[in-house]
Amino acid sequence: MENITITPIKTAEEYTTAMNNIRQLWDCPENSKEADLLEVLSILVEDYEKKQYSITPLDPIEAIKYKMEEEGLNQKDLVKYFGSKERVSEVLNKKRPLTLRMIKNLYHNLGISADSLLAL
């Protein structure tokens, strides 16, 4: 393998070069200098990808509405998690914030991600 210079990845071109180097190193022997280089390149690529392609969590209300659509639920089905149909309506219309109790209920019973429910 040619001499590879390790630097932070800042551009798409540098990312492409790093990915090509990773492909060349992919089948290298474990515990070799090439394996160490592969690990370092992978860390740099992961860091670049996190910065360039970060995925922000859904808005909490959008996450709830998505789950409702996915599961075929209506507002009446959420009463047991919110306390009343009025509260369901108020929360879904963003007139009332989610409480910690509501967040816990939605997380534990509907499997809505805590990241999404706690997003600001």
Side-chain angles (χ1 to χ4, degrees), residues 3 12 14 19 25 27 29 32 42 47-48 59 67 70 74 80 95 103 108 111:
N3 195 12
E14 292 171 342
M19 290 300 292
L25 293 166
D27 292 321
S32 65
S42 298
D47 181 63
Y48 177 82
D59 168 80
K67 189 64 166 183
E70 185 179 66
N74 57 41
K80 58 187 165 192
K95 293 180 180 177
I103 291 170
H108 289 296

Side-chain angles (χ1 to χ4, degrees), residues 57-65 98 112 115-120:
L58 285 175
D59 168 80
I61 304 309
E62 294 306 314
I64 295 167
K65 289 179 178 179
L98 286 166
I112 300 174
D115 286 342
S116 291
L117 292 170
L118 294 170
L120 301 172

Side-chain angles (χ1 to χ4, degrees), residues 31-92:
N31 301 316
S32 65
K33 287 183 181 183
E34 290 84 6
D36 291 343
L37 182 57
L38 175 61
E39 183 177 353
V40 171
L41 284 172
S42 298
I43 291 167
L44 291 171
V45 163
E46 181 181 11
D47 181 63
Y48 177 82
E49 289 174 343
K50 281 181 183 176
K51 290 175 184 173
Q52 295 299 313
Y53 309 110
S54 66
I55 299 174
T56 56
L58 285 175
D59 168 80
I61 304 309
E62 294 306 314
I64 295 167
K65 289 179 178 179
Y66 176 81
K67 189 64 166 183
M68 288 173 67
E69 183 178 323
E70 185 179 66
E71 300 287 328
L73 302 172
N74 57 41
Q75 289 188 15
K76 182 178 161 187
D77 297 319
L78 299 182
V79 170
K80 58 187 165 192
Y81 310 122
F82 287 78
S84 71
K85 64 181 182 179
E86 291 79 18
R87 276 207 191 125
V88 173
S89 180
E90 290 171 348
V91 169
L92 294 180

